[in-house]
Amino acid sequence: MLYNATTFILLFALVIFATLIHENNQLPRRNKSIFYTLTAVLAVVIISEWAGVQLSGNPIANGALLCAAKFADYTLTPTVAILIAANILSDRQLKLALIPIVLNVALQIVSLPFGLTFYLDGGFYYHHGPLYVLYLALVAVSLGIFVAALLSFGSKRAHKNRLSLILITFFVITGTLLQAIDSQMRVTNLTLILGTALLLVHYTEFLQQDTSSALVETSSENALHQRIITSFSESFIAALFIDLPTEKLVIVSATPKVRSCLNHKGPIPQQLRSLVTTLVSENYQEQMLHFMNFETLAQRMKAHSNISFEFTSKEGLWRRASFNIVDEDGNGQPDTLLLTFTDIQEEKLYAAELRAISVTDALTGLLNQRAYFQNLLALSESEVPDNLAIVIMDVNDLKHTNDTLGHEAGDLLLAGAGSCVKAAFESLGHSYRLGGDEFAAILQCTHEEYEQAAHQLKQRCAAFNKGPITHVSLAIGVAFFSDEPEMSLDQLSKRADLAMYEDKRRYYESLGRDRRRS
């Protein structure tokens, strides 16, 4: 009688549980369906176990009813754990979790005629068969999936909920093991029902937490949205949402000029083409149309979270167009894009200024050593002009000036040398300060043109008079590519360097002084 009463109470509890699910408006439709299925399966398992107990030793229908009851019990019991876990598993994880269930169903079907998991003796009592251990193993796998899902679910939630989830897990496992150890201790169904009810309580609480978090996140996202728009206020031109599946374009914000060129009823490719012809200078329109190609956009965005293209506007100002992924579909394909147009004129000017600073010598205003080697490299990678000449120069008497007049006078001497070199060679090419007292020039000229410029350089150096510096003296070496066409530019530069040192040697010999001490 006690067992019958317990079975009735369990079934009545399932009715209450189903009613609670029906009245719960927070549960998503998917989870309601799973809980309904779980309730039905639990009811069948409870009835099957009760029938097994009642029919054991009873020859009704020659044991067929008992076999049917035990078959349903053995087939569905492992399913309960998976159905509980299904509430917190993704669709992909659930497909994998169903593998032990399918294997168990196959095992029971194959075992039924041969009594492999259970069998009836002559007195119509059922016993465990030789493959009962395999059945227990599949039950254990199902419980393992349930435990892993529950613990993973708890780890993503507030720390205060983890202990209770661990206790629920231990409770369900204990009840299942007790009945596996002693079949007379029929407590598995009780623990499964209580565990499911407790999980429903937790799941509902977690849904409330998610709703609260979503409200907070939405508020934060709106504030962030506003800050982004505010930060763009000085450079912002337009922002457009593009929904790829529906091919819809929505203006978030835009200047009147952008709004006026958009036909909201036209297809996206037509609207993008209108933007290009309105905003982009003719020099960049073809490249911009390729960048905005709607047919290849999704494929190009698949490998990048954002892509951008810089162009000049009809007014000759620099602009940047950027596509950014806002959302993706379940397969990782771009779904919603944000197209922005920004003013980068100041950015370009600042970048140009930084580039100029990076290749300019601060003391003389000439290009620096980095620019010299960059230009040599660029020339070497193309066809070298026949009239190319490399000039290497070195300031004489810099050490003597620093020792006798001070380093400020030495800097003045270097600045004076730089001004003379620039004035003499600026019509023929670029001049550089390579560092210390060494200068260079890369020219395109004939021998005669060079001689005229070199003569002018010497005159300017002799006439220089500023502060304590009454003149500038330079040692000069030059090498012409037309004289050494088989040489690389690096070798040509070294040839000019050797000629400069020879000129410096002659200068100090004429004064009767040691160059290394001067």
Side-chain angles (χ1 to χ4, degrees):
M1 289 294 295
L2 178 61
Y3 180 67
N4 291 339
T6 304
T7 301
F8 172 78
I9 293 297
L10 290 176
L11 291 173
F12 193 61
L14 285 179
V15 173
I16 298 173
F17 184 68
T19 305
L20 289 174
I21 296 170
H22 176 71
E23 293 176 346
N24 192 321
N25 295 323
Q26 288 186 311
L27 280 176
R29 182 179 298 178
R30 174 182 183 271
N31 297 95
K32 274 195 172 185
S33 299
I34 292 173
F35 275 119
Y36 280 139
T37 304
L38 176 59
T39 304
V41 170
L42 275 170
V44 173
V45 168
I46 291 171
I47 293 172
S48 297
E49 185 181 82
W50 174 84
V53 172
Q54 301 301 320
L55 295 171
S56 184
N58 193 326
I60 296 179
N62 294 320
L65 292 178
L66 178 58
C67 283
K70 297 311 297 180
F71 177 80
D73 185 9
Y74 278 47
T75 301
L76 294 179
T77 297
T79 308
V80 175
I82 299 300
L83 283 173
I84 298 175
N87 285 282
I88 48 185
L89 293 174
S90 66
D91 290 339
R92 183 179 179 182
Q93 291 171 331
L94 182 57
K95 289 180 181 178
L96 296 175
L98 290 176
I99 292 176
I101 301 304
V102 173
L103 292 176
N104 180 57
V105 171
L107 173 65
Q108 300 308 324
I109 292 174
V110 172
S111 301
L112 187 61
F114 306 105
L116 298 179
T117 54
F118 69 90
Y119 64 92
L120 304 184
D121 60 18
F124 298 103
Y125 288 95
Y126 74 89
H127 302 275
H128 297 156
L131 293 185
Y132 179 73
V133 175
L134 181 56
Y135 163 70
L136 289 181
L138 291 172
V139 172
V141 171
S142 299
L143 283 174
I145 293 172
F146 162 74
V147 171
L150 207 61
L151 294 181
S152 175
F153 183 64
S155 68
K156 299 175 183 177
R157 304 292 173 167
H159 180 71
K160 63 182 180 181
N161 299 115
R162 286 184 196 159
L163 179 59
S164 56
L165 286 171
I166 292 172
L167 291 174
I168 293 172
T169 304
F170 183 74
F171 174 73
V172 172
I173 293 174
T174 301
T176 305
L177 289 177
L178 285 175
Q179 186 163 332
I181 295 170
D182 185 352
S183 60
Q184 299 303 314
M185 300 176 65
R186 305 186 182 281
V187 293
T188 296
N189 292 330
L190 175 63
T191 55
L192 287 174
I193 291 174
L194 290 176
T196 304
L198 291 171
L199 179 63
L200 177 62
V201 172
H202 269 283
Y203 198 80
T204 303
E205 181 183 351
F206 291 148
L207 288 174
Q208 291 175 342
Q209 290 179 9
D210 287 345
T211 301
S212 300
S213 299
L215 291 173
V216 173
E217 289 177 4
T218 301
S219 176
S220 301
E221 286 177 2
N222 289 337
L224 177 60
H225 211 188
Q226 187 59 44
R227 287 200 300 273
I228 291 174
I229 292 176
T230 302
S231 69
F232 282 166
S233 59
E234 295 182 359
S235 61
F236 185 69
I237 296 173
L240 315 168
F241 277 120
I242 298 177
D243 187 76
L244 295 177
T246 61
E247 296 193 4
K248 289 184 179 180
L249 185 148
V250 179
I251 300 177
V252 179
S253 181
T255 61
K257 184 175 182 179
V258 172
R259 287 182 180 274
S260 66
C261 75
L262 289 176
N263 177 10
H264 303 297
K265 296 182 180 179
I268 288 181
Q270 180 181 329
Q271 296 189 57
L272 295 181
R273 181 175 289 274
S274 177
L275 276 176
V276 172
T277 56
T278 302
L279 299 180
V280 183
S281 67
E282 293 183 2
N283 293 337
Y284 284 90
Q285 282 192 8
E286 184 177 348
Q287 299 174 63
M288 188 65 165
L289 287 172
H290 177 73
F291 174 73
M292 304 279 269
N293 189 333
F294 189 72
E295 294 180 358
T296 63
L297 185 57
Q299 186 62 32
R300 284 182 285 141
M301 292 297 296
K302 186 177 180 181
H304 307 280
S305 60
N306 63 79
I307 58 175
S308 61
F309 177 73
E310 296 177 358
F311 61 95
T312 56
S313 67
K314 290 289 183 68
E315 298 78 22
L317 302 176
W318 280 101
R319 303 285 188 252
R320 179 184 291 119
S322 299
F323 283 108
N324 294 270
I325 295 178
V326 177
D327 196 11
E328 297 178 342
D329 62 18
N331 298 320
Q333 293 280 357
D335 202 4
T336 305
L337 302 179
L338 175 65
L339 170 60
T340 59
F341 291 88
T342 50
D343 180 353
I344 58 169
Q345 182 67 16
E346 289 297 324
E347 179 184 327
K348 282 288 187 180
L349 292 175
Y350 180 62
E353 184 179 348
L354 287 179
R355 283 197 299 271
I357 291 173
S358 71
V359 296
T360 302
D361 177 61
L363 179 62
T364 64
L366 298 179
L367 296 172
N368 61 17
Q369 186 185 60
R370 175 188 293 176
Y372 176 73
F373 287 116
Q374 285 178 350
N375 290 349
L376 279 183
L377 180 61
L379 284 167
S380 66
E381 291 177 346
S382 59
E383 187 175 350
V384 180
D386 291 335
N387 61 346
L388 184 74
I390 296 179
V391 185
I392 302 296
M393 295 158 281
D394 197 273
V395 178
N396 293 322
D397 298 319
L398 176 62
K399 184 177 184 305
H400 178 73
T401 300
N402 285 332
D403 291 344
T404 58
L405 300 177
H407 286 278
E408 289 186 4
D411 288 344
L412 184 57
L413 176 61
L414 292 172
S419 65
C420 292
V421 168
K422 182 178 181 180
F425 292 135
E426 62 182 348
S427 63
L428 302 179
H430 296 292
S431 301
Y432 311 81
R433 183 188 175 204
L434 302 183
D437 54 2
E438 191 171 6
F439 293 79
I442 300 177
L443 312 176
Q444 291 190 43
C445 59
T446 63
H447 288 63
E448 291 75 16
E449 288 171 333
Y450 167 74
E451 291 297 338
Q452 292 174 6
H455 178 70
Q456 184 184 18
L457 174 59
K458 291 178 181 179
Q459 287 183 326
R460 289 181 177 275
C461 287
F464 184 83
N465 189 344
K466 189 173 183 179
I469 306 301
T470 57
H471 72 283
V472 174
S473 174
L474 290 174
I476 305 173
V478 63
F480 293 92
F481 182 71
S482 58
D483 295 339
E484 308 285 356
E486 76 286 352
M487 283 190 174
S488 66
L489 293 187
D490 182 58
Q491 292 171 326
L492 199 67
S493 178
K494 291 178 180 178
R495 175 62 62 89
D497 196 47
L498 290 174
M500 179 275 294
Y501 276 108
E502 181 61 25
D503 188 44
K504 182 176 281 287
R505 184 189 62 78
R506 289 195 297 268
Y507 171 78
Y508 282 107
E509 280 185 354
S510 67
L511 298 178
R513 289 159 48 190
D514 187 345
R515 175 179 67 84
R516 291 169 297 180
R517 297 181 180 179
S518 302

